[in-house]
Amino acid sequence: MLKNTEQRLTAIRQWLSQRDIDALLVPHEDEYLGEYVPAHNERLHWLTGFTGSAGVAVVTRDKAAIFVDGRYTVQVAKQVSADHFEYRHLIEEPALDWVKSHLSKGASVAIDPRMHSSSWLEMAQAQLANTFELKILDTNPIDELWHDRPEPIISDVRLMPLDTAGQSSLSKRQQVSKITKEKNADSVIITALDSICWLLNIRGLDVSRLPVLLSHAILHSDSSVEYFLDTSRLPDEFHNHVGPNVTVQHPESLQSRLEALSDKKVILDPTTTNAWIKLVLQNAGVSLIHSPDPCLMPKAAKNDVEIAGMKACHVRDGVAMCQFLSWLDAEVVAGRLHDEATLADKLEAFRYQDSTLQDLSFDTISAAGSNAAMCHYNHENQPQPGKLEMDTLYLVDSGGQYLNGTTDITRTIAIGQPSEEMIKQFTLVLKGHIGVARARFPRGTRGYQIDTLARQHLWAEGYDYDHGTGHGVGHFLNVHEGPASISKRQIDVPLTAGMVLSNEPGYYRANAFGIRIENLELVVEQPTDGDFPVLSFESLTRCPIDKRNIKLEMLTDTEVTWLNDYHQTVWDEISPHVEGEVYEWLRQATSAIR
C-alpha cells in the first residue's frame, strides 16, 4: 500500500500542477452523503488506505494531511503512512483550519461539490472568503486516476408489500406533500437514500449493510414523484406497487430536471443534500427553502405494522444471539479461546440460519480484552485479530437487516473471572442502562434530557463515556437513523411514540477493557392517573445480560426487579425456539438474581 500511496499522491500533485491549483480536499463522503459508502466510491481509502467511516484528506503540492476523529486515532496510524500524511484531529483542527495555516493568501483550494453537503459549502465559502479561492470542480480527479475502480453493485429493486410496510407509498407521499405545502413549497429534493426507499416502499442492497438503492427523488406538492434510477432495474410490478404519479427518470437527467424547477419554491435539506445540487438549483434561479428532510419524522415514528415487524425480528435475532453466547460459553469452558474474526463469523453464521436475514446491519464489532477499549474497534482493520484471554471481558456489538426490521445489540461477556474493577464498572453501566429503560417523560422531551439518566452513576464515581447513549434505528433501513438521538448534544427533536432508539451506555479504560450494554427501545405512550399520558420505553432486544459481571449489592431493589422482569420476558419469548444445550444455557442465563 505504501508504494501505491506514493504513486497516487504523485498523480494528484501532477493533476494540481497541471491546473495551477494549490490544494485538493478529499472527504470520505460520496454524492449521497450517507454513513456507508459503497466500495466504488471509497475515494479516501483509494488515496490513503484509511478504512474508517469519517475523515478527510488534504493534498497540497508538497504536503498532505489526514483528519480523523477520536474513534480512529489508533487506526489511522496503522493504516496510513506517516511518511506521506500528517495525522490531525478532525474536531480539534478541522481541515480548513489546516489549509489556512499551511497555504499562502490567495491560494486555490479545489473541491468536488458532490462530496460535500450544501451546509458545508456555505461554511467553507464564509471561512475562505477574501483569503483563498475555492475552486468548484466539474469532475473528480480521483475518478480520472482510479484505474482499477470496483464496479458498482447493482442490486434488485425489492418491493415492500403493504403487510410489511404498513402504509402505502401514495399515503406516505400525500403525508409528506402536506408538510411541503405547509412550508409554502412547490417541491422537495429528497437525497437521503433511506428517505427515498421509505417513501416508495422499496429496498435494495446497493450498499453493504444498508438496504437502499443509489438514487435521487423530487417530490412535488401534488404528491407526484420524479424518481431517478435506471428503469432496467425495476420489476414489472413497480408502478402498480408505488401507485399513480411516479415517473422514473434516468439518473443522467437529474440536472435538467433540477433546472426545470427554475420558477418554483423548493425545499432542500442542507445537511443531507450535496452542494452540487444546491449550486444547480441556485444557478437555475430556484427559490430555496432550507428545511429538514420532511420524511425524517414520519419515517422515524413507526406504524403498528412496522412495530410488529421490529418485535418479530428481535425474537429471531435473540435466538441467534443466545445460540452464539451458549456456544461461546461452552468453548471457553473447554479451553478453546477463539480470535475475534472467528467469533464474528460464528455469530454471523447463526444469524444466517434465519432465511429472512438480508445482511448484517453493520460490520460486527468483535473486541477481546483491551481492544474493547476502542468503542468502534474493527478486527478486520488490524494486522491480525485479537484473541480471547481468560479473566477478561469480550464485547460484541452486532445486528441484522431482516425483511421486517433492523436489529442492533451489544453484550459484554465474562471470559473466566473478570476483575472486581471490571465488575464494578459493568454494574455502573448497567444501572445507567436500566435508568434509561425505566424512564417516564412527557411529550416534547428531547433525547439530551434523557441522556443524564444513563451517565449519572458513572459521573458520581468520576467516569464517563465519549459517545452518544442512543441513536434512532430504521425499519429494514439505516441502523443509525435520524433525526432523534439520546446524547449530550442538544438536538432539538422530540422523542415521539413509535420511534426506536438504542440504549447503550458504556465505559472504556484505555489498554485495559471496554464495556457496553445495548438494547433497542420502542417509545410508547404510558397511561397515567394524571392529566395527560407520558412516554416510556419498551425494550425490544431479547437476549440475556451477563449476570456474572454484576455486583449485586450495587443494585437497588427496583433495578433488580427490572432485570428479573427483563430476563423473564427473554425466557418467555426465546425458550420456545431453542432446545438442548441452548435451552439449558438460556434457563440459567435468565434465572432471577434475587
Side-chain angles (χ1 to χ4, degrees), residues 255 259 262 276-286 288:
Q255 181 170 349
E259 291 170 340
S262 58
W276 176 83
I277 289 177
K278 179 180 179 180
L279 292 171
V280 170
L281 293 170
Q282 279 184 332
N283 292 339
V286 173
L288 292 177

Side-chain angles (χ1 to χ4, degrees), residues 195-210:
S195 289
I196 297 170
C197 286
W198 172 83
L199 187 68
L200 297 177
N201 282 342
I202 56 177
R203 300 291 189 272
L205 295 172
D206 286 4
V207 184
S208 175
R209 314 314 192 200
L210 190 61

Side-chain angles (χ1 to χ4, degrees), residues 290-326:
H290 292 113
S291 181
D293 177 347
C295 295
L296 291 180
M297 289 297 285
K299 173 166 55 68
K302 279 65 178 173
N303 60 50
D304 290 344
V305 172
E306 291 174 317
I307 290 170
M310 292 291 276
K311 289 182 176 181
C313 78
H314 274 86
V315 172
R316 299 197 303 276
D317 199 71
V319 170
M321 282 296 302
C322 291
Q323 290 173 327
F324 170 72
L325 294 177
S326 170

Side-chain angles (χ1 to χ4, degrees), residues 417-540:
Q417 178 57 53
S419 68
E420 289 186 11
E421 183 64 15
M422 293 174 184
I423 291 174
K424 172 190 173 184
Q425 297 301 138
F426 183 96
T427 309
L428 291 173
V429 172
L430 176 60
K431 288 170 73 70
H433 178 94
I434 295 173
V436 172
R438 295 187 64 253
R440 302 288 186 271
F441 46 95
R443 292 173 181 171
T445 298
R446 273 58 174 165
Y448 62 84
Q449 295 172 286
I450 303 291
D451 185 71
T452 302
L453 299 175
R455 300 178 192 269
Q456 58 179 323
H457 303 288
L458 288 162
W459 282 350
E461 301 285 338
Y463 305 112
D464 201 359
Y465 51 94
D466 191 20
H467 60 73
T469 298
H471 55 82
V473 177
H475 173 257
F476 188 27
L477 276 174
N478 292 22
V479 74
H480 297 137
E481 178 181 79
S485 69
I486 303 173
S487 74
K488 295 178 182 179
R489 293 183 300 152
Q490 296 189 11
I491 295 175
D492 190 22
V493 175
L495 304 186
T496 62
M499 285 183 172
V500 175
L501 298 106
S502 66
N503 171 9
E504 50 181 308
Y507 174 75
Y508 311 91
R509 182 163 296 179
N511 303 312
F513 61 90
I515 295 162
R516 188 160 61 252
I517 304 170
E518 178 184 18
N519 282 356
L520 296 192
E521 311 279 358
L522 172 68
V523 181
V524 297
E525 285 202 351
Q526 186 77 27
T528 69
D529 295 331
D531 296 331
F532 58 88
V534 299
L535 300 177
S536 63
F537 291 120
E538 177 186 334
S539 297
L540 297 178

